[in-house]
Amino acid sequence: MSKIVFLQHLSEEQKQQVQEAAPHDEIVAIPVKEATEHDLADAEIIVGWSRKFQDFILSPDCAVKWVQAWSAGVDKMPLAELEQKQVLLTSANGVHTIPISEQIFAYMLAFSRNLHKAIRNQTQARWDESGSFSELHGKTIVIVGAGNIGIGTARLARAFGMKTVGVRRSGAPLDEFDTMYRMEQLDEALGVADVVVNILPLTEQTEGLFDKGRFAAMKPEALFINVGRGATVQTDDLVTALQQGLIAGAGLDVFDPEPLPADHPLWSMEQVIITPHIAGSNEHYTERVMDIFLTNLKAYQQGETLPVNLVDYSSGY
């Protein structure tokens, strides 16, 4: 009999789903704040992650063979050490597709209809009809990182009558995109964008990718949206680009550093919308992670390759 440890609370129905998929395994669900090394010592499968247990999980005292991350991103996990220990790692990639794609459109609609200014005016009871108003129809959206969220965003963009352009490592076409570029062609793609959406994971190749040169490659009327990772953007260069009018505005959910310091200049910029890394939050998160895990668990029980979100350690995601 093997042991599966969840580092979070599960409902009785969710526990039953796991037990049905692994009828001979012991199922333990304990919030990370209450968990101890003893709970994890003989766990073959750990669902969730905490730096609190990182050293122990990587030590010979922990028998883990598979970790199912509770997050879509795994860049903050010790990938090299997990690979060395030959631990399988799966992510929760895909759980954010709907909320993040909708948040991207919340930014775009707010900017196009000047809602960000209207909300500020409302707090001061100020009737102000000034400003320019536009529509998304006919605009070009360039999505950098054409994974699940990028595809979901492109589908919404087409419903709004936008032209969809994607950027991905392979440059291979996808049905949801009118045009696809390789990462080596990023500057060319940025030049045609009315809206640039960054959904890249954080890797050695993407860290600091959006710098002053990239912002200079964009049109001055373009918007920049970041819902990927804060460290893929050189924050000082973004601030300069906004101050100098190299780009028109930014919708930002992730930052470097994070949390964004209270005295940071981004807070006071009227052409910036800031949200505190909540773009992926939604009421369906747990059930969607559980769907991923249960699909993988059934394959694991049969000794098969985990079919959903198996992390490739060489690429970092």
Side-chain angles (χ1 to χ4, degrees), residues 4 16-23 25 45 66 68 290-308:
I4 304 173
Q16 185 60 36
Q17 289 176 327
V18 178
Q19 197 70 80
E20 289 175 359
D25 289 3
I45 301 170
W66 168 27
Q68 168 68 60
M290 288 298 294
D291 286 343
I292 292 170
F293 174 70
L294 289 170
T295 299
N296 282 331
L297 180 60
K298 292 170 184 176
Y300 186 85
Q301 295 289 99
Q302 300 298 321
E304 300 171 356
T305 300
L306 303 184
V308 185

Side-chain angles (χ1 to χ4, degrees), residues 14 22 29 38 111 146 163 187 206 217 233 237 243 251 257 275 282-283 316:
Q14 289 164 340
H38 176 75
F111 280 121
K163 180 180 178 181
D187 287 351
T206 64
V233 175
D237 289 354
Q243 290 172 334
T275 54
N282 68 93
E283 69 270 35

Side-chain angles (χ1 to χ4, degrees), residues 73-250:
V74 294
D75 50 272
K76 295 182 180 179
M77 297 177 68
L79 302 184
E81 291 85 350
L82 288 168
E83 180 181 24
Q84 184 176 14
K85 190 171 178 175
Q86 297 183 317
V87 175
L88 298 172
L89 175 62
T90 49
S91 74
N93 186 32
V95 298
H96 297 128
T97 298
I98 294 174
I100 292 184
S101 59
E102 290 182 359
Q103 175 115 356
I104 289 166
F105 271 82
Y107 294 132
M108 291 197 295
L109 289 167
F111 280 121
S112 68
R113 305 311 305 162
N114 274 324
L115 297 182
H116 59 309
K117 294 181 180 178
I119 291 170
R120 292 186 177 103
N121 289 335
Q122 181 179 344
T123 63
Q124 302 175 48
R126 184 171 65 191
W127 186 278
D128 183 358
E129 301 175 35
S130 65
S132 60
F133 297 82
S134 61
E135 55 189 43
L136 299 181
H137 183 88
K139 297 291 195 301
T140 296
I141 183 172
V142 173
I143 300 170
V144 187
N148 291 324
I149 298 170
I151 290 170
T153 302
R155 288 176 182 148
L156 288 180
R158 281 194 168 168
F160 275 83
M162 301 182 77
K163 180 180 178 181
T164 57
V165 176
V167 183
R168 63 194 304 215
R169 283 196 306 170
S170 68
L174 290 170
D175 291 342
E176 293 79 4
F177 292 87
D178 299 313
T179 308
M180 185 67 73
Y181 289 86
R182 300 187 309 276
M183 284 299 295
E184 292 83 0
Q185 301 171 295
L186 177 58
D187 287 351
E188 182 181 350
L190 296 178
V192 304
D194 296 301
V195 181
V196 174
V197 180
N198 174 30
I199 322 179
L200 290 171
L202 180 60
T203 67
E204 291 181 0
Q205 290 73 37
T206 64
E207 185 172 7
L209 182 68
F210 282 91
D211 58 11
K212 58 184 179 182
R214 295 274 143 68
F215 294 118
M218 295 168 58
K219 296 188 290 189
E221 62 270 25
L223 297 173
F224 176 71
I225 294 172
N226 189 14
V227 291
R229 283 291 182 263
T232 62
V233 175
Q234 296 193 24
T235 306
D236 290 345
D237 289 354
L238 172 59
V239 170
T240 299
L242 290 162
Q243 290 172 334
Q244 296 182 352
L246 297 180
I247 59 175

Side-chain angles (χ1 to χ4, degrees), residues 257-277:
E258 194 171 294
L260 190 67
D263 60 351
H264 199 280
L266 284 171
W267 286 111
S268 60
M269 292 184 173
E270 289 192 358
Q271 73 273 47
V272 175
I273 298 175
I274 290 173
T275 54
H277 205 147

